[in-house]
């Protein structure tokens, strides 16, 4: 069951100084990387890797041991790819990794949870975004989104 969020925004007009307003609008919140989540994911993966290495040592085959070690290093380092995950919430939309997603009257946002490798994942779907955004490694993404766009209407169902 996913909830849908609708938000209405007013069009920005000229700023008080007479200059045209930015398409982004005012910066509301920055959603930063959750380093504790990344560290916990790496620790869980290291524990699984230690178990796999223990099993590979029992086989006594050095080729298998080296191949297992290479695969497990990649497996354990994967969460480090999310160290750059961040998002900026503006009045008129969301800036995520250089991509701009406007938020307007007909924009629908849904939050979908699922199973990750060890820890649960959270995905944010925006109606004008072709793919869902993985916000699992971002600290308080859903809470800051709801705080930024406080005049939202939640619809539960489907």
């Amino acid at each position: 069951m996913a909830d849908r969020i609708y938000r209405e925004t007013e069009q920005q007009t000229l700023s008080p100084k007479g200059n045209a307003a930015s398409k982004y609008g005012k910066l509301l919140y920055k959603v930063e990387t959750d380093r504790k989540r990344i560290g916990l994911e790496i620790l869980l993966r290291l524990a699984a890797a230690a178990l796999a290495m223990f099993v590979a040592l029992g086989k006594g085959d050095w080729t298998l041991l080296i191949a297992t070690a290479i695969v497990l290093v990649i497996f354990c380092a994967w969460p480090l790819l999310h160290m750059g995950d961040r998002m900026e919430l503006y009045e008129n939309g969301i800036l995520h990794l250089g991509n701009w997603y406007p938020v307007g009257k007909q924009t629908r946002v849904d939050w979908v949870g699922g199973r990750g490798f060890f820890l649960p994942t959270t995905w944010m779907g925006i109606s004008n975004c072709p793919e869902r955004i993985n916000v699992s490694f971002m600290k308080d993404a859903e809470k800051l989104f709801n705080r930024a766009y406080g005049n939202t209407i939640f619809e539960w169902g489907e």
Side-chain angles (χ1 to χ4, degrees):
M1 177 183 339
D3 55 287
R4 291 196 177 144
I5 301 172
Y6 297 94
R7 178 179 186 274
E8 294 186 15
T9 58
E10 297 178 13
Q11 286 288 349
Q12 283 197 347
T13 57
L14 294 177
S15 66
K17 296 180 182 174
N19 300 331
S22 160
K23 77 172 185 177
Y24 295 159
K26 179 182 164 192
L27 176 65
L28 302 174
Y29 291 101
K30 287 184 178 182
V31 183
E32 298 293 331
T33 306
D34 189 355
R35 294 174 192 262
K36 289 181 182 176
R37 162 76 187 237
I38 291 173
L40 181 59
E41 183 81 20
I42 290 172
L43 285 175
L44 289 171
R45 288 169 179 257
L46 282 173
L51 180 63
M53 287 300 292
F54 181 73
V55 171
L57 278 173
K59 301 283 183 185
D61 183 10
W62 283 101
T63 310
L64 176 66
L65 183 63
I66 292 171
T68 304
I70 291 170
V71 169
L72 292 176
V73 165
I74 295 169
F75 174 73
C76 291
W78 178 84
L80 293 175
L81 294 175
H82 290 282
M83 285 297 289
D85 286 3
R86 61 183 46 89
M87 188 166 54
E88 295 176 353
L89 306 174
Y90 290 92
E91 283 179 327
N92 297 330
I94 298 167
L95 185 64
H96 174 259
L97 300 176
N99 296 320
W100 175 251
Y101 304 105
V103 177
K105 287 186 178 185
Q106 299 301 319
T107 303
R108 291 185 314 271
V109 176
D110 60 347
W111 301 89
V112 179
R115 295 234 351 127
F117 216 99
F118 289 106
L119 300 173
T121 61
T122 304
W123 297 86
M124 180 175 80
I126 304 173
S127 60
N128 57 350
C129 176
E131 295 181 7
R132 292 181 187 256
I133 298 170
N134 184 353
V135 295
S136 302
F137 293 96
M138 291 184 217
K139 189 172 185 168
D140 301 326
E142 188 172 357
K143 180 174 85 173
L144 290 175
F145 179 89
N146 289 333
R147 191 177 292 167
Y149 306 116
N151 60 343
T152 57
I153 301 169
F154 293 85
E155 283 194 6
W156 303 90
E158 265 193 69

